[in-house]
Short mmCIF file of all heavy atoms in Angstrom, two decimals:
data_model
loop_
_atom_site.label_atom_id
_atom_site.label_comp_id
_atom_site.label_asym_id
_atom_site.label_seq_id
_atom_site.Cartn_x
_atom_site.Cartn_y
_atom_site.Cartn_z
N SER A 1 4.40 -43.15 -60.86
CA SER A 1 3.88 -43.86 -59.69
C SER A 1 4.55 -45.22 -59.51
O SER A 1 4.90 -45.61 -58.40
CB SER A 1 2.36 -44.03 -59.81
OG SER A 1 1.83 -44.62 -58.66
N VAL A 2 4.74 -45.94 -60.61
CA VAL A 2 5.38 -47.25 -60.56
C VAL A 2 6.84 -47.11 -60.13
O VAL A 2 7.32 -47.87 -59.27
CB VAL A 2 5.28 -47.96 -61.93
CG1 VAL A 2 6.15 -49.23 -61.95
CG2 VAL A 2 3.83 -48.31 -62.24
N ARG A 3 7.55 -46.15 -60.70
CA ARG A 3 8.97 -45.94 -60.34
C ARG A 3 9.14 -45.64 -58.86
O ARG A 3 10.05 -46.13 -58.21
CB ARG A 3 9.56 -44.79 -61.17
CG ARG A 3 9.93 -45.13 -62.58
CD ARG A 3 10.85 -44.08 -63.18
NE ARG A 3 10.34 -42.72 -63.04
CZ ARG A 3 9.53 -42.13 -63.93
NH1 ARG A 3 9.13 -42.81 -65.00
NH2 ARG A 3 9.12 -40.90 -63.74
N GLU A 4 8.25 -44.80 -58.33
CA GLU A 4 8.38 -44.36 -56.95
C GLU A 4 7.97 -45.43 -55.94
O GLU A 4 8.50 -45.46 -54.83
CB GLU A 4 7.54 -43.10 -56.73
CG GLU A 4 8.06 -41.88 -57.45
CD GLU A 4 7.16 -40.66 -57.28
OE1 GLU A 4 6.03 -40.84 -56.75
OE2 GLU A 4 7.57 -39.55 -57.68
N ASN A 5 7.05 -46.30 -56.32
CA ASN A 5 6.48 -47.22 -55.33
C ASN A 5 6.91 -48.67 -55.47
O ASN A 5 6.83 -49.42 -54.49
CB ASN A 5 4.94 -47.14 -55.41
CG ASN A 5 4.41 -45.82 -54.91
OD1 ASN A 5 4.33 -45.58 -53.72
ND2 ASN A 5 4.06 -44.94 -55.85
N THR A 6 7.34 -49.06 -56.64
CA THR A 6 7.85 -50.43 -56.79
C THR A 6 9.00 -50.42 -57.79
O THR A 6 8.91 -50.96 -58.90
CB THR A 6 6.71 -51.39 -57.23
OG1 THR A 6 7.23 -52.70 -57.37
CG2 THR A 6 6.01 -50.94 -58.49
N PRO A 7 10.11 -49.78 -57.39
CA PRO A 7 11.23 -49.56 -58.32
C PRO A 7 11.90 -50.83 -58.82
O PRO A 7 12.53 -50.82 -59.88
CB PRO A 7 12.22 -48.73 -57.47
CG PRO A 7 11.85 -49.04 -56.05
CD PRO A 7 10.38 -49.24 -56.05
N ASP A 8 11.76 -51.94 -58.09
CA ASP A 8 12.41 -53.19 -58.51
C ASP A 8 11.56 -54.00 -59.49
O ASP A 8 12.04 -55.00 -60.05
CB ASP A 8 12.73 -54.05 -57.28
CG ASP A 8 13.75 -53.38 -56.36
OD1 ASP A 8 14.59 -52.64 -56.88
OD2 ASP A 8 13.69 -53.61 -55.14
N ALA A 9 10.32 -53.62 -59.66
CA ALA A 9 9.44 -54.35 -60.58
C ALA A 9 9.81 -54.05 -62.03
O ALA A 9 10.30 -52.98 -62.35
CB ALA A 9 7.98 -53.99 -60.32
N ILE A 10 9.56 -55.02 -62.89
CA ILE A 10 9.74 -54.81 -64.33
C ILE A 10 8.48 -54.13 -64.86
O ILE A 10 7.39 -54.68 -64.80
CB ILE A 10 9.99 -56.15 -65.06
CG1 ILE A 10 11.31 -56.76 -64.60
CG2 ILE A 10 9.98 -55.95 -66.57
CD1 ILE A 10 11.58 -58.15 -65.15
N HIS A 11 8.67 -52.92 -65.38
CA HIS A 11 7.54 -52.12 -65.87
C HIS A 11 7.44 -52.29 -67.38
O HIS A 11 8.38 -51.98 -68.12
CB HIS A 11 7.74 -50.65 -65.51
CG HIS A 11 6.58 -49.79 -65.87
ND1 HIS A 11 6.65 -48.41 -65.89
CD2 HIS A 11 5.31 -50.09 -66.25
CE1 HIS A 11 5.48 -47.91 -66.25
NE2 HIS A 11 4.66 -48.91 -66.48
N VAL A 12 6.29 -52.77 -67.85
CA VAL A 12 6.07 -53.05 -69.27
C VAL A 12 5.02 -52.10 -69.82
O VAL A 12 3.92 -52.00 -69.26
CB VAL A 12 5.60 -54.51 -69.48
CG1 VAL A 12 5.46 -54.80 -70.97
CG2 VAL A 12 6.55 -55.48 -68.82
N PHE A 13 5.36 -51.41 -70.93
CA PHE A 13 4.35 -50.64 -71.64
C PHE A 13 3.59 -51.60 -72.56
O PHE A 13 4.19 -52.31 -73.37
CB PHE A 13 4.99 -49.53 -72.46
CG PHE A 13 5.36 -48.30 -71.67
CD1 PHE A 13 6.33 -47.42 -72.13
CD2 PHE A 13 4.73 -48.02 -70.47
CE1 PHE A 13 6.66 -46.28 -71.41
CE2 PHE A 13 5.06 -46.89 -69.73
CZ PHE A 13 6.02 -46.02 -70.21
N ASP A 14 2.31 -51.63 -72.40
CA ASP A 14 1.47 -52.53 -73.19
C ASP A 14 1.69 -52.30 -74.67
O ASP A 14 1.61 -51.18 -75.17
CB ASP A 14 0.00 -52.28 -72.83
CG ASP A 14 -0.93 -53.11 -73.69
OD1 ASP A 14 -0.85 -54.34 -73.60
OD2 ASP A 14 -1.72 -52.51 -74.44
N HIS A 15 2.01 -53.39 -75.40
CA HIS A 15 2.37 -53.24 -76.82
C HIS A 15 1.20 -52.77 -77.69
O HIS A 15 1.41 -52.11 -78.71
CB HIS A 15 2.98 -54.53 -77.38
CG HIS A 15 2.09 -55.72 -77.37
ND1 HIS A 15 1.68 -56.35 -76.23
CD2 HIS A 15 1.54 -56.42 -78.40
CE1 HIS A 15 0.92 -57.37 -76.53
NE2 HIS A 15 0.81 -57.44 -77.84
N PHE A 16 -0.02 -53.07 -77.27
CA PHE A 16 -1.18 -52.58 -78.04
C PHE A 16 -1.26 -51.06 -77.98
O PHE A 16 -1.64 -50.41 -78.96
CB PHE A 16 -2.46 -53.21 -77.51
CG PHE A 16 -2.58 -54.68 -77.81
CD1 PHE A 16 -2.50 -55.61 -76.79
CD2 PHE A 16 -2.75 -55.13 -79.11
CE1 PHE A 16 -2.59 -56.97 -77.06
CE2 PHE A 16 -2.85 -56.48 -79.39
CZ PHE A 16 -2.77 -57.40 -78.36
N HIS A 17 -0.93 -50.49 -76.81
CA HIS A 17 -0.94 -49.04 -76.68
C HIS A 17 0.19 -48.39 -77.49
O HIS A 17 0.03 -47.29 -78.02
CB HIS A 17 -0.83 -48.64 -75.21
CG HIS A 17 -2.10 -48.80 -74.44
ND1 HIS A 17 -2.44 -49.97 -73.82
CD2 HIS A 17 -3.14 -47.94 -74.22
CE1 HIS A 17 -3.62 -49.83 -73.22
NE2 HIS A 17 -4.06 -48.61 -73.46
N VAL A 18 1.33 -49.08 -77.56
CA VAL A 18 2.45 -48.56 -78.36
C VAL A 18 2.04 -48.51 -79.84
O VAL A 18 2.24 -47.49 -80.51
CB VAL A 18 3.71 -49.44 -78.18
CG1 VAL A 18 4.83 -48.96 -79.11
CG2 VAL A 18 4.18 -49.41 -76.73
N ILE A 19 1.45 -49.59 -80.32
CA ILE A 19 1.01 -49.64 -81.72
C ILE A 19 -0.11 -48.63 -81.97
O ILE A 19 -0.17 -47.99 -83.03
CB ILE A 19 0.56 -51.07 -82.10
CG1 ILE A 19 1.71 -52.07 -81.94
CG2 ILE A 19 0.00 -51.09 -83.52
CD1 ILE A 19 2.94 -51.73 -82.76
N LYS A 20 -1.00 -48.48 -81.00
CA LYS A 20 -2.09 -47.50 -81.14
C LYS A 20 -1.53 -46.09 -81.28
O LYS A 20 -2.03 -45.28 -82.07
CB LYS A 20 -3.03 -47.56 -79.94
CG LYS A 20 -4.23 -46.59 -80.04
CD LYS A 20 -5.13 -46.70 -78.83
CE LYS A 20 -6.34 -45.76 -78.97
NZ LYS A 20 -5.97 -44.35 -79.15
N LEU A 21 -0.48 -45.79 -80.51
CA LEU A 21 0.16 -44.48 -80.60
C LEU A 21 0.72 -44.26 -82.01
O LEU A 21 0.61 -43.17 -82.58
CB LEU A 21 1.26 -44.36 -79.55
CG LEU A 21 1.85 -42.97 -79.31
CD1 LEU A 21 0.78 -42.01 -78.80
CD2 LEU A 21 2.99 -43.05 -78.30
N MET A 22 1.30 -45.31 -82.58
CA MET A 22 1.82 -45.23 -83.95
C MET A 22 0.67 -45.04 -84.93
O MET A 22 0.76 -44.21 -85.85
CB MET A 22 2.59 -46.52 -84.26
CG MET A 22 3.11 -46.61 -85.70
SD MET A 22 4.43 -45.45 -86.09
CE MET A 22 3.66 -44.48 -87.40
N ASN A 23 -0.41 -45.77 -84.75
CA ASN A 23 -1.57 -45.64 -85.65
C ASN A 23 -2.18 -44.24 -85.58
O ASN A 23 -2.57 -43.68 -86.61
CB ASN A 23 -2.63 -46.67 -85.29
CG ASN A 23 -2.27 -48.08 -85.76
OD1 ASN A 23 -1.42 -48.24 -86.63
ND2 ASN A 23 -2.91 -49.08 -85.19
N ASP A 24 -2.25 -43.69 -84.38
CA ASP A 24 -2.77 -42.33 -84.22
C ASP A 24 -1.87 -41.32 -84.94
O ASP A 24 -2.37 -40.36 -85.56
CB ASP A 24 -2.86 -41.96 -82.74
CG ASP A 24 -3.95 -42.75 -82.01
OD1 ASP A 24 -4.82 -43.33 -82.69
OD2 ASP A 24 -3.93 -42.78 -80.76
N THR A 25 -0.57 -41.54 -84.86
CA THR A 25 0.38 -40.65 -85.54
C THR A 25 0.25 -40.77 -87.06
O THR A 25 0.26 -39.76 -87.78
CB THR A 25 1.82 -40.98 -85.12
OG1 THR A 25 1.93 -40.85 -83.70
CG2 THR A 25 2.82 -40.04 -85.79
N LEU A 26 0.12 -42.01 -87.54
CA LEU A 26 -0.06 -42.24 -88.98
C LEU A 26 -1.32 -41.54 -89.48
O LEU A 26 -1.31 -40.89 -90.54
CB LEU A 26 -0.13 -43.74 -89.25
CG LEU A 26 -0.52 -44.19 -90.66
CD1 LEU A 26 0.42 -43.59 -91.71
CD2 LEU A 26 -0.53 -45.71 -90.76
N ASP A 27 -2.39 -41.64 -88.73
CA ASP A 27 -3.64 -41.00 -89.14
C ASP A 27 -3.52 -39.48 -89.11
O ASP A 27 -4.12 -38.78 -89.94
CB ASP A 27 -4.78 -41.46 -88.23
CG ASP A 27 -6.15 -41.15 -88.82
OD1 ASP A 27 -6.36 -41.43 -90.01
OD2 ASP A 27 -7.00 -40.60 -88.09
N LYS A 28 -2.74 -38.97 -88.15
CA LYS A 28 -2.51 -37.53 -88.09
C LYS A 28 -1.75 -37.05 -89.32
O LYS A 28 -2.07 -36.01 -89.91
CB LYS A 28 -1.74 -37.17 -86.83
CG LYS A 28 -1.57 -35.68 -86.61
CD LYS A 28 -0.86 -35.39 -85.29
CE LYS A 28 -0.73 -33.87 -85.07
NZ LYS A 28 -0.05 -33.57 -83.78
N VAL A 29 -0.74 -37.83 -89.74
CA VAL A 29 0.02 -37.52 -90.96
C VAL A 29 -0.93 -37.52 -92.16
O VAL A 29 -0.89 -36.61 -93.01
CB VAL A 29 1.16 -38.53 -91.17
CG1 VAL A 29 1.79 -38.35 -92.56
CG2 VAL A 29 2.22 -38.39 -90.09
N ARG A 30 -1.79 -38.52 -92.24
CA ARG A 30 -2.74 -38.62 -93.35
C ARG A 30 -3.66 -37.39 -93.40
O ARG A 30 -3.88 -36.80 -94.47
CB ARG A 30 -3.57 -39.89 -93.21
CG ARG A 30 -4.60 -40.10 -94.33
CD ARG A 30 -5.58 -41.21 -93.98
NE ARG A 30 -6.40 -40.86 -92.83
CZ ARG A 30 -7.50 -40.12 -92.88
NH1 ARG A 30 -7.92 -39.63 -94.05
NH2 ARG A 30 -8.18 -39.85 -91.78
N ARG A 31 -4.19 -36.99 -92.24
CA ARG A 31 -5.10 -35.84 -92.20
C ARG A 31 -4.39 -34.54 -92.58
O ARG A 31 -4.97 -33.68 -93.25
CB ARG A 31 -5.72 -35.73 -90.81
CG ARG A 31 -6.82 -36.78 -90.57
CD ARG A 31 -7.55 -36.61 -89.26
NE ARG A 31 -6.81 -37.18 -88.14
CZ ARG A 31 -6.20 -36.51 -87.19
NH1 ARG A 31 -6.22 -35.19 -87.21
NH2 ARG A 31 -5.56 -37.12 -86.21
N GLU A 32 -3.13 -34.40 -92.17
CA GLU A 32 -2.36 -33.20 -92.54
C GLU A 32 -2.13 -33.15 -94.04
O GLU A 32 -2.20 -32.08 -94.67
CB GLU A 32 -1.03 -33.19 -91.80
CG GLU A 32 -1.14 -32.87 -90.31
CD GLU A 32 0.23 -32.83 -89.63
OE1 GLU A 32 1.24 -33.17 -90.29
OE2 GLU A 32 0.28 -32.45 -88.44
N LEU A 33 -1.86 -34.31 -94.64
CA LEU A 33 -1.63 -34.38 -96.09
C LEU A 33 -2.90 -34.08 -96.86
O LEU A 33 -2.87 -33.42 -97.91
CB LEU A 33 -1.09 -35.76 -96.47
CG LEU A 33 0.33 -36.07 -95.96
CD1 LEU A 33 0.68 -37.53 -96.21
CD2 LEU A 33 1.36 -35.16 -96.64
N VAL A 34 -4.03 -34.56 -96.36
CA VAL A 34 -5.32 -34.27 -97.00
C VAL A 34 -5.58 -32.77 -96.98
O VAL A 34 -6.03 -32.18 -97.97
CB VAL A 34 -6.47 -35.02 -96.28
CG1 VAL A 34 -7.83 -34.51 -96.77
CG2 VAL A 34 -6.36 -36.51 -96.54
N ALA A 35 -5.27 -32.13 -95.85
CA ALA A 35 -5.51 -30.68 -95.72
C ALA A 35 -4.62 -29.86 -96.66
O ALA A 35 -5.04 -28.81 -97.15
CB ALA A 35 -5.28 -30.26 -94.27
N LYS A 36 -3.41 -30.36 -96.92
CA LYS A 36 -2.45 -29.62 -97.75
C LYS A 36 -2.62 -29.89 -99.24
O LYS A 36 -2.26 -29.04 -100.07
CB LYS A 36 -1.01 -29.98 -97.33
CG LYS A 36 -0.61 -29.49 -95.95
CD LYS A 36 0.80 -29.95 -95.62
CE LYS A 36 1.23 -29.51 -94.22
NZ LYS A 36 2.59 -30.01 -93.88
N GLU A 37 -3.14 -31.06 -99.58
CA GLU A 37 -3.22 -31.47 -100.99
C GLU A 37 -4.18 -30.57 -101.78
O GLU A 37 -5.32 -30.33 -101.37
CB GLU A 37 -3.67 -32.93 -101.07
CG GLU A 37 -3.69 -33.50 -102.48
CD GLU A 37 -2.32 -33.43 -103.14
OE1 GLU A 37 -1.38 -34.09 -102.65
OE2 GLU A 37 -2.20 -32.68 -104.15
N VAL A 38 -3.72 -30.08 -102.92
CA VAL A 38 -4.55 -29.20 -103.76
C VAL A 38 -5.20 -29.98 -104.90
O VAL A 38 -6.23 -29.56 -105.43
CB VAL A 38 -3.72 -28.03 -104.32
CG1 VAL A 38 -3.29 -27.11 -103.19
CG2 VAL A 38 -2.50 -28.53 -105.11
N ASP A 39 -4.58 -31.08 -105.29
CA ASP A 39 -5.14 -31.91 -106.36
C ASP A 39 -6.32 -32.71 -105.79
O ASP A 39 -6.14 -33.57 -104.92
CB ASP A 39 -4.05 -32.86 -106.90
CG ASP A 39 -4.51 -33.64 -108.13
OD1 ASP A 39 -5.68 -34.11 -108.13
OD2 ASP A 39 -3.71 -33.79 -109.07
N GLU A 40 -7.51 -32.45 -106.26
CA GLU A 40 -8.71 -33.08 -105.71
C GLU A 40 -8.70 -34.59 -105.89
O GLU A 40 -9.21 -35.33 -105.03
CB GLU A 40 -9.97 -32.49 -106.37
CG GLU A 40 -10.32 -31.09 -105.91
CD GLU A 40 -10.59 -31.03 -104.40
OE1 GLU A 40 -11.19 -31.97 -103.86
OE2 GLU A 40 -10.18 -30.04 -103.76
N ARG A 41 -8.12 -35.06 -106.97
CA ARG A 41 -8.06 -36.50 -107.21
C ARG A 41 -7.17 -37.18 -106.19
O ARG A 41 -7.54 -38.21 -105.61
CB ARG A 41 -7.55 -36.77 -108.64
CG ARG A 41 -7.55 -38.24 -109.03
CD ARG A 41 -7.04 -38.41 -110.45
NE ARG A 41 -5.67 -37.91 -110.59
CZ ARG A 41 -4.58 -38.65 -110.31
NH1 ARG A 41 -4.72 -39.89 -109.89
NH2 ARG A 41 -3.36 -38.13 -110.47
N LYS A 42 -6.01 -36.59 -105.96
CA LYS A 42 -5.09 -37.15 -104.97
C LYS A 42 -5.67 -37.03 -103.55
O LYS A 42 -5.53 -37.93 -102.72
CB LYS A 42 -3.74 -36.43 -105.04
CG LYS A 42 -2.94 -36.72 -106.29
CD LYS A 42 -1.60 -36.00 -106.24
CE LYS A 42 -0.76 -36.32 -107.49
NZ LYS A 42 0.56 -35.61 -107.45
N LYS A 43 -6.31 -35.89 -103.28
CA LYS A 43 -6.90 -35.68 -101.95
C LYS A 43 -7.96 -36.75 -101.65
O LYS A 43 -8.01 -37.30 -100.55
CB LYS A 43 -7.54 -34.29 -101.89
CG LYS A 43 -8.26 -34.00 -100.57
CD LYS A 43 -8.87 -32.61 -100.53
CE LYS A 43 -7.81 -31.55 -100.34
NZ LYS A 43 -8.41 -30.23 -99.97
N LYS A 44 -8.78 -37.04 -102.67
CA LYS A 44 -9.84 -38.04 -102.48
C LYS A 44 -9.24 -39.42 -102.24
O LYS A 44 -9.73 -40.19 -101.39
CB LYS A 44 -10.73 -38.06 -103.72
CG LYS A 44 -11.92 -39.01 -103.58
CD LYS A 44 -12.79 -38.95 -104.82
CE LYS A 44 -13.97 -39.91 -104.69
NZ LYS A 44 -14.84 -39.89 -105.90
N LEU A 45 -8.15 -39.73 -102.95
CA LEU A 45 -7.50 -41.03 -102.80
C LEU A 45 -6.91 -41.19 -101.39
O LEU A 45 -7.11 -42.20 -100.72
CB LEU A 45 -6.41 -41.20 -103.86
CG LEU A 45 -5.62 -42.52 -103.80
CD1 LEU A 45 -6.56 -43.71 -104.00
CD2 LEU A 45 -4.51 -42.51 -104.85
N ILE A 46 -6.18 -40.17 -100.93
CA ILE A 46 -5.54 -40.23 -99.61
C ILE A 46 -6.60 -40.27 -98.50
O ILE A 46 -6.47 -41.01 -97.53
CB ILE A 46 -4.61 -39.01 -99.40
CG1 ILE A 46 -3.46 -39.04 -100.43
CG2 ILE A 46 -4.04 -38.99 -97.98
CD1 ILE A 46 -2.61 -37.77 -100.44
N LYS A 47 -7.65 -39.48 -98.69
CA LYS A 47 -8.72 -39.42 -97.69
C LYS A 47 -9.40 -40.77 -97.51
O LYS A 47 -9.82 -41.13 -96.39
CB LYS A 47 -9.75 -38.37 -98.13
CG LYS A 47 -10.72 -37.97 -97.03
CD LYS A 47 -11.59 -36.80 -97.50
CE LYS A 47 -12.52 -36.35 -96.38
NZ LYS A 47 -13.34 -35.19 -96.82
#
């Protein structure tokens, strides 16, 4: 919408949302590792 209607404007992606996307990805990696881990001690630590 921004590209089509105000192409000359400087479009900024909010940096908090960028970091949030990274945090969501990190948490997804953590949850996948918890699901795969067979060692209960390690699973509890990562969780």
Side-chain angles (χ1 to χ4, degrees):
S1 184
V2 171
R3 282 196 308 271
E4 291 177 350
N5 291 282
T6 180
D8 295 330
I10 295 174
H11 185 193
V12 183
F13 280 158
D14 176 62
H15 62 292
F16 290 110
H17 283 88
V18 175
I19 299 303
K20 182 180 182 301
L21 192 62
M22 176 69 242
N23 284 342
D24 291 343
T25 302
L26 171 57
D27 196 47
K28 185 177 182 179
V29 170
R30 180 192 65 83
R31 284 186 278 109
E32 287 182 353
L33 292 171
V34 169
K36 292 178 182 178
E37 184 59 64
V38 293
D39 187 318
E40 287 299 322
R41 184 179 60 85
K42 290 182 179 180
K43 177 180 285 194
K44 184 178 180 181
L45 178 61
I46 297 171
K47 194 173 183 178

